[in-house]
Amino acid sequence: MPAILGVVALLVGWEHAQDSEPLVGLLLGVFPMVLVGVGLVFAGTYFYRSTLPTTNVWKLDAWVVAGALVGAAIGGLFVSYQQTHGNTTVHANYLMVNTVLGGAGISTALGYATVLRAVESERLETTGEILDTVREINRQIATTDDRETLEQAVCETLAEADPYVFAWVGSVEDDELVPRASAGVEDGYLDSITITISDGATSRGPAGTAARTHESAVMQDIHEDPTFEPWRDAARERGYQSSMAVPLVDHGTRYGVLSIYADRKHAFDGRERAVLEEVGDTLANSIAASETRHREARLLNSMDDIVVVYSLERGEILGANTTGFGRLEYDESVLLGAHLSSFVVDPDEDNWFHDVESSDRFVFESTFETASGETFPVEVSAVSIQYEGERAMLTLARDITSRREHVRTLQTYREAIEHAGHAIYITDTDGIIEYVNPAFEEQTGYTEQEVVGETPSLLQSGRYDEEFYENLWGTILNGEQWHYEGMVDARKDGSEFYVDQTIAPIVVDDEVVRFVAINRDITDLKEYQRTLEDRNEQLELLNEIVRHDIRNDMQIVLGMSQLLEDHVDEDGRGRLASITEKSDHVVELTQTIGELMATLLTDETDGTTAISLSQPLNAAVDELAHANPGAEIRIEGKIPSTPVCADEMVESVFRNILNNAIQHTHADVPEVVVSATESDDDVTVRIADNGPGIPESQRDDIFGKGERGLESSGTGLGLYLVQTLVDHYGGSVTIGDNDPSGAVFEIRLEKAA
């Protein structure tokens, strides 16, 4: 329109200049029109960018055109009048120019005011729709407790509102915003985009900014804003024009981000933004409350104790935790609303209706009965509360069956101590004797009356210096157990005897309150040890016979058995196979016995013996694979070459565990996987199989001498040898479960110094 007015002004000015006054015509005709045109251009630009939405710009243009036409019509009437009556009061060109400009100016002002009213009306209507949406969201929040349901309901309510086309809620997982709920015009939008939180191109949009800064972020023009570049094409395809992201934060805890999209630019002004921020705060608060309630419910339901809420007036059960329903064997629908007598044997006698102030707590014992008729004692801790408008009791009932058994056990222990064959005495922290058992009197010759109130120094033989006793007291005062085998004490008559002494602190609430000492008379044992030393030489000779002579003879038997295979008939093949099998078993047995005897005859390792596990472990695996061609046996990863505290017999450890894995695996294809890891102090070898696994209750027993394991036909010495050797090396061997089935043996050996 300014361009059209400029052309008209140019033509009028040119005509006026030709008639009489060219310079004045040019100035009065062209320049004002050009200035008005330029002014309208700038005004239109200003209105478009800062005041009027795009959809209303054409309305202002229509008002300007209409005003100019009205002005032209008025000017034309005056010109026609002057030409008819011959009265030239005002030059026609000036008249036309001024009336057109006047009409355009007046219509611009009127049009701007009208358009502003229309825009304000639209905004009020939009605000009303938003408030209706907020009221619906608040209703959803008030009536929904589950977080997922609540987030989905909020998204659906926003998407169904006219101002918006799409809404979604996302949570932060590993620096990425992951959708949790969505509704509206989505069409795969969330699957096609990636929004991160840390700095980067995919983190600078509204959602990433809101999640990172904990403040709402608005993008009024998705198509023009450069920060929306990673998602622009996907947004344009779905008609998104503007977007707002509201962080869901409550007391510093971020629960996610609510993102809202509109199909119009500049959709989120100050009022709308403030309302949506309140929606985000309310939603975050509701999510936090829901999470708190769920945590409390999970905590309550994870308790081993029974929690029950019941009415004081009516005795009806108002609530209980999962443990309560399960332990009492009642469904929730049956127990809620029922009387306490449904499971309390005698609620009146046991003081269940004791009336107390809300701040008081009282404890009593009672007896529960399950739906199946089982009864068990409980200790009940109760406090008065207000529950849904009525006086009630919140009770925590703990099964004290084990406690009562513990009391009986303590009584049994006292009886056991009284009748123990070892001397036992108890002192206070100053070493004053408070109790001795009858065995102490028999062992030392002192009576209880003679030693109670005295110190154990009356038993000293005089063989140990002050440093010895300082070390003893330093150990037990530090809360550690002190043990000494072969300590020489003196009886009342002065005679000496050997004891295996253990002194252990009794700790209550992290404080040492007493010491208990156990003295086992090992005088006869010392004599026996000297006898054993004499027999060690004989055992070593027997070891040589077992490992070499018997084994060599059995190898000859095996060789001859193989030579006889072609010389026996069908009836004899079975017997020959039995001979071969038994011979193999004898060879294996002699090898195991020899290794076990060699271990028993060797002093404990002092850390100076070292060996790399690579060679013995590979040798054991190769031997097993050669003997079991139908099995899948492999080593995963590299075996560390770091020396460990062991010797060449460590191969027996691996060989016995590997054989155990194959023998107990009933799978069509037995599978054994060997791996090793290294830490700062040790090397751990892991041997996993796909067998039936080893029940946890049997894991401590299978290393015992003579234990055969599950359906084992062996001697039971293999795993005993494993435990003996690993203990000898100062390491450890444990058993765990393999996934999805099978057992895992972990052998930990310390690195050599």
Side-chain angles (χ1 to χ4, degrees):
M1 179 55 67
I4 296 174
L5 293 177
V7 173
V8 173
L10 180 61
L11 295 175
V12 173
W14 177 259
E15 180 182 354
H16 183 73
Q18 287 181 337
D19 289 343
S20 57
E21 299 174 349
L23 182 58
V24 175
L26 183 61
L27 292 174
L28 297 179
V30 177
F31 287 176
M33 294 298 292
V34 171
L35 291 176
V36 171
V38 172
L40 288 174
V41 170
F42 279 100
T45 303
Y46 173 77
F47 294 150
Y48 171 75
R49 290 186 176 178
S50 63
T51 305
L52 300 179
T54 306
T55 55
N56 289 309
V57 173
W58 67 270
K59 297 179 182 179
L60 180 59
D61 292 338
W63 275 94
V64 174
V65 172
L69 293 176
V70 171
I74 294 172
L77 290 175
F78 277 106
V79 171
S80 299
Y81 178 82
Q82 290 180 159
Q83 290 177 350
T84 303
H85 297 281
N87 183 12
T88 309
T89 304
V90 181
H91 193 283
N93 293 334
Y94 292 129
L95 183 61
M96 290 298 293
V97 170
N98 289 323
T99 55
V100 170
L101 289 177
I106 293 171
S107 64
T108 300
L110 292 174
Y112 182 58
T114 302
V115 170
L116 283 182
R117 283 197 299 273
V119 170
E120 186 64 22
S121 177
E122 291 179 1
R123 287 177 177 172
L124 290 175
E125 182 179 355
T126 300
T127 301
E129 294 174 350
I130 293 172
L131 292 176
D132 290 340
T133 302
V134 170
R135 281 192 289 270
E136 175 61 21
I137 289 174
N138 288 334
R139 188 189 68 80
Q140 296 281 1
I141 290 174
T143 58
T144 306
D145 183 61
D146 180 67
R147 177 178 177 179
E148 294 182 0
T149 304
L150 177 60
E151 291 173 341
Q152 185 61 37
V154 170
C155 291
E156 291 175 356
T157 303
L158 287 170
E160 291 171 359
D162 289 339
Y164 314 117
V165 294
F166 177 51
W168 65 285
V169 173
S171 61
V172 178
E173 297 180 11
D174 298 330
D175 194 49
E176 188 171 320
L177 205 59
V178 179
R180 289 178 52 88
S182 63
V185 182
E186 195 263 343
D187 193 24
Y189 176 70
L190 297 177
D191 294 332
S192 64
I193 65 171
T194 299
I195 299 176
T196 57
I197 306 305
S198 60
D199 191 26
T202 56
S203 68
R204 296 169 187 165
T209 302
R212 184 172 58 255
T213 64
H214 289 196
E215 295 181 358
S216 63
V218 172
M219 186 164 290
Q220 299 286 28
D221 190 348
I222 287 176
H223 295 176
E224 297 296 332
D225 197 314
T227 59
F228 209 81
E229 177 64 30
W231 316 281
R232 179 171 293 118
D233 292 340
R236 183 183 291 114
E237 291 176 3
R238 293 158 180 84
Y240 305 157
Q241 297 282 343
S242 56
S243 174
M244 179 177 180
V246 182
L248 304 179
V249 178
D250 183 77
H251 292 87
T253 300
R254 179 183 61 200
Y255 293 97
V257 175
L258 171 64
S259 297
I260 310 154
Y261 296 78
D263 59 356
R264 53 194 167 89
K265 297 179 181 179
H266 301 275
F268 303 97
D269 60 12
R271 289 175 296 178
E272 190 167 341
R273 180 172 181 172
V275 171
L276 291 174
E277 286 176 345
E278 290 183 7
V279 170
D281 291 340
T282 305
L283 178 58
N285 182 265
S286 179
I287 292 174
S290 175
E291 292 290 300
T292 299
R293 287 192 296 271
H294 288 173
R295 282 195 299 270
E296 291 174 351
R298 287 195 297 270
L299 178 62
L300 205 60
N301 290 327
S302 66
M303 295 176 62
D304 293 331
D305 298 330
I306 300 172
V307 179
V308 176
V309 179
Y310 64 94
S311 169
L312 269 175
E313 287 80 8
R314 295 175 284 113
E316 292 183 359
I317 301 164
L318 306 177
N321 65 345
T322 302
T323 302
F325 294 124
R327 184 67 180 89
L328 298 173
E329 302 175 1
Y330 282 101
D331 291 335
E332 182 177 352
S333 59
V334 175
L335 197 59
L336 293 184
H339 194 268
L340 277 171
S341 57
S342 299
F343 63 88
V344 180
V345 173
D346 195 340
D348 294 320
E349 181 180 341
D350 291 342
N351 211 17
W352 278 82
F353 296 101
H354 180 69
D355 196 1
V356 295
E357 297 295 332
S358 59
S359 59
D360 293 336
R361 181 178 68 93
F362 70 101
V363 179
F364 58 94
E365 291 188 1
S366 184
T367 304
F368 284 178
E369 182 176 5
T370 67
S372 62
E374 174 196 357
T375 59
F376 57 95
V378 292
E379 180 186 75
V380 182
S381 176
V383 63
S384 176
I385 63 170
Q386 285 291 322
Y387 187 85
E388 297 181 351
E390 65 176 308
R391 294 178 64 250
M393 294 296 289
L394 171 64
T395 61
L396 185 148
R398 176 165 298 173
D399 188 339
I400 58 174
T401 303
S402 59
R403 182 192 299 178
R404 291 186 176 179
E405 291 177 352
H406 181 63
V407 171
R408 287 194 293 269
T409 301
L410 289 178
Q411 294 173 344
T412 303
Y413 286 163
R414 182 174 182 85
E415 290 294 322
I417 291 174
E418 289 289 323
H419 296 85
H422 302 322
I424 299 175
Y425 61 92
I426 298 175
T427 75
D428 62 13
T429 53
D430 294 325
I432 304 300
I433 297 175
E434 297 179 341
Y435 167 83
V436 297
N437 70 340
F440 177 91
E441 297 177 321
E442 182 180 351
Q443 184 182 96
T444 65
Y446 290 101
T447 64
E448 182 178 5
Q449 292 75 17
E450 290 176 318
V451 296
V452 170
E454 301 291 334
T455 67
S457 60
L458 53 82
L459 299 176
Q460 291 181 5
S461 62
R463 294 197 180 195
Y464 308 101
D465 55 20
E466 292 184 3
E467 183 179 355
F468 175 87
Y469 292 105
E470 288 176 357
N471 176 62
L472 184 157
W473 278 102
T475 301
I476 61 177
L477 287 174
N478 196 38
E480 300 176 4
Q481 179 177 288
W482 186 85
H483 176 257
Y484 192 91
E485 182 178 357
M487 187 170 182
V488 180
D489 276 350
R491 298 185 179 92
K492 181 180 179 179
D493 61 7
S495 61
E496 294 183 345
F497 63 102
Y498 289 94
V499 294
D500 180 359
Q501 184 175 66
T502 299
I503 303 177
I506 301 175
V507 181
V508 178
D509 295 331
D510 298 328
E511 181 182 358
V512 177
V513 295
R514 296 286 189 280
F515 298 109
V516 56
I518 302 175
N519 287 356
R520 180 168 64 95
D521 190 338
I522 58 172
T523 304
D524 294 339
L525 179 62
K526 284 292 184 181
E527 294 294 331
Y528 183 67
Q529 284 179 344
R530 283 191 286 269
T531 302
L532 288 179
E533 290 174 359
D534 295 335
R535 294 181 179 178
N536 275 345
E537 294 182 3
Q538 300 172 0
L539 288 175
E540 290 178 358
L541 177 60
L542 178 61
N543 180 34
E544 291 295 323
I545 295 173
V546 169
R547 296 190 63 183
H548 296 91
D549 298 351
I550 296 178
R551 189 174 180 184
N552 290 340
D553 289 344
M554 291 311 303
Q555 292 289 356
I556 295 173
V557 172
L558 282 172
M560 292 182 175
S561 297
Q562 293 174 355
L563 294 175
L564 289 174
E565 288 182 355
D566 296 333
H567 300 283
V568 295
D569 55 17
E570 290 297 328
D571 294 336
R573 289 184 183 276
R575 296 184 179 88
L576 182 60
S578 178
I579 293 173
T580 303
E581 179 184 356
K582 297 300 182 181
S583 299
D584 285 333
H585 181 67
V586 171
V587 170
E588 179 185 353
L589 178 60
T590 55
Q591 180 178 2
T592 302
I593 292 175
E595 292 170 346
L596 178 58
M597 292 179 65
T599 301
L600 297 176
L601 293 172
T602 303
D603 293 336
E604 292 187 0
T605 179
D606 56 3
T608 58
T609 303
I611 188 173
S612 172
L613 297 180
S614 178
Q615 191 278 329
L617 186 54
N618 279 287
V621 171
D622 291 343
E623 180 181 339
L624 183 69
H626 178 73
N628 300 273
E632 183 179 340
I633 305 166
R634 65 181 186 276
I635 296 178
E636 288 188 349
K638 184 180 179 181
I639 304 301
S641 58
T642 306
V644 298
C645 294
D647 52 31
E648 67 276 0
M649 289 188 68
V650 74
E651 183 179 339
S652 298
V653 173
F654 303 136
R655 182 172 62 251
N656 278 284
I657 294 179
L658 289 168
N659 285 332
N660 183 78
I662 290 294
Q663 292 172 0
H664 295 160
T665 299
H666 303 305
D668 294 337
V669 178
E671 181 179 351
V672 179
V673 180
V674 181
S675 60
T677 57
E678 180 178 3
S679 66
D680 294 338
D681 301 322
D682 50 50
V683 175
T684 301
V685 177
R686 188 175 185 271
I687 300 176
D689 62 60
N690 63 341
I694 300 174
E696 189 171 353
S697 60
Q698 298 182 18
R699 292 174 184 173
D700 292 335
D701 298 331
I702 64 171
F703 292 106
K705 182 171 62 176
E707 292 292 336
R708 298 173 178 264
L710 298 173
E711 302 178 2
S712 173
S713 60
T715 63
L717 293 176
L719 293 181
Y720 174 68
L721 173 62
V722 167
Q723 184 72 72
T724 303
L725 280 171
V726 172
D727 288 345
H728 175 72
Y729 298 144
S732 64
V733 56
T734 57
I735 304 173
D737 293 325
N738 195 15
D739 185 19
S741 66
V744 178
F745 283 75
E746 290 190 353
I747 305 98
R748 183 191 63 82
L749 297 172
E750 295 181 357
K751 289 184 178 179

